[in-house]
């Protein structure tokens, strides 16, 4: 599945303003490509290396030439909220409400969400006691009937107070989420590593295995 997000792309425009650099998250690999040229060869390299089977990747001319784009491991919680409203207004209405509530309650809980606005977090997990998260609206992820749709990716290195989360390296998909559920999601899923069964739509592990309750 490919989806667009509200995360700001890395702004490295040349003086004439035509060559943009974009950024990509790869889930459930939990890899982040900070910048690639938004032109045909750059897109081809990314697609052929990251969106193909390993056999195709090994034979790829970009890989053989040592031009594989460099990624880094995702070290922050990533919260993706469907805000798509073109086909159905349910996510388009509920998504922004959920986004506002996540930002408000994460701030009150002491979570650093500054990366949502483009700030660069530490490239690796930092044991400084600070929980970091990025929150974004994304385009259609399927299931307007389940609005609000929220996917929470917990990085493989994620720990709270020195204890690795039971959900580290997993993505949890919740449906029919309302603003009243956000506080519980933050406490149970992010801080305690527990799945909320009543909201659970599905999940996936870093290796691609599907999670079921």
């Amino acid at each position: 599945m490919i989806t667009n997000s509200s995360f700001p792309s890395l702004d490295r425009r040349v003086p004439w303003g035509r060559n943009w650099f974009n950024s990509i998250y790869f889930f459930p690999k939990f890899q982040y490509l900070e910048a690639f040229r938004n032109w045909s060869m750059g897109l081809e390299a990314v697609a052929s290396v990251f969106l193909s089977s390993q056999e195709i990747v090994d034979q790829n001319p970009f890989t053989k030439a040592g031009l594989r784009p460099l990624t880094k491991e995702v070290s922050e919680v990533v919260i993706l909220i469907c805000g798509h409203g073109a086909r159905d207004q349910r996510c388009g209405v509920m998504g922004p409400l959920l986004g506002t509530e996540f930002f408000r309650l994460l701030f009150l809980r002491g979570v650093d969400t500054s990366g949502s606005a483009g700030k660069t977090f530490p490239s690796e997990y930092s044991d400084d006691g600070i929980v970091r998260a990025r929150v974004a609206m994304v385009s259609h992820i399927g299931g307007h009937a389940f609005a609000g749709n929220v996917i929470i990716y917990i990085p493989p290195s994620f720990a709270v107070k020195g204890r690795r989360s039971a959900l580290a390296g997993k993505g949890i998909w919740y449906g029919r989420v309302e603003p009243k559920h956000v506080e519980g999601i933050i406490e149970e899923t992010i801080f305690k590593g527990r799945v909320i069964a009543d909201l659970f739509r599905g999940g996936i592990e870093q290796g691609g295995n599907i999670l079921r309750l």
Side-chain angles (χ1 to χ4, degrees), residues 34-60:
E34 186 175 42
F36 74 96
R37 290 275 302 271
N38 188 17
W39 60 322
S40 59
M41 286 189 66
L43 294 171
E44 181 182 347
V46 169
S48 60
V49 171
F50 294 104
L51 304 180
S52 302
S53 67
Q54 189 60 49
E55 181 179 354
I56 294 176
V57 170
D58 291 341
Q59 297 301 316
N60 185 273

Side-chain angles (χ1 to χ4, degrees), residues 7-192:
F7 291 129
S9 59
L10 189 64
D11 188 1
R12 291 185 180 176
R13 289 172 292 175
V14 294
W16 53 90
R18 292 187 177 181
N19 290 323
W20 287 83
F21 283 77
N22 287 330
S23 305
I24 301 179
Y25 277 101
F26 296 95
F27 292 113
K29 291 183 178 181
F30 287 90
Q31 294 293 310
Y32 178 60
L33 180 60
E34 186 175 42
F36 74 96
R37 290 275 302 271
N38 188 17
W39 60 322
S40 59
M41 286 189 66
L43 294 171
E44 181 182 347
V46 169
S48 60
V49 171
F50 294 104
L51 304 180
S52 302
S53 67
Q54 189 60 49
E55 181 179 354
I56 294 176
V57 170
D58 291 341
Q59 297 301 316
N60 185 273
F62 294 102
T63 304
K64 289 183 176 181
L67 298 177
R68 179 186 175 92
L70 297 177
T71 60
K72 61 182 182 181
E73 183 175 308
V74 174
S75 61
E76 68 276 5
V77 175
V78 177
I79 302 170
L80 305 178
I81 305 167
C82 183
H84 185 74
R87 287 183 52 195
D88 189 303
Q89 284 296 310
R90 281 174 285 189
C91 282
V93 171
M94 185 61 73
L97 296 176
L98 293 174
T100 298
E101 193 69 352
F102 267 105
F103 276 115
R104 185 179 75 85
L105 292 175
L106 287 168
F107 173 78
L108 293 177
R109 195 61 172 79
V111 177
D112 180 1
T113 60
S114 59
S116 305
K119 177 182 177 181
T120 301
F121 285 148
S123 58
E124 298 179 353
Y125 171 69
S126 176
D127 190 18
D128 56 8
I130 299 175
V131 175
R132 297 177 172 86
R134 294 183 194 264
V135 183
M137 297 291 112
V138 295
S139 54
H140 186 51
I141 53 178
H144 289 295
F146 295 94
N149 286 291
V150 178
I151 304 178
I152 302 176
Y153 287 103
I154 310 294
S157 59
F158 187 70
V160 177
K161 295 182 179 179
R163 177 175 295 182
R164 186 172 183 267
S165 171
L167 295 179
K170 297 176 176 61
I172 304 300
W173 188 343
Y174 287 138
R176 296 196 172 96
V177 178
E178 300 177 25
K180 66 182 181 181
H181 298 129
V182 172
E183 183 175 8
I185 291 174
I186 292 172
E187 290 300 321
E188 291 297 312
T189 301
I190 296 178
F191 279 93
K192 296 180 181 179

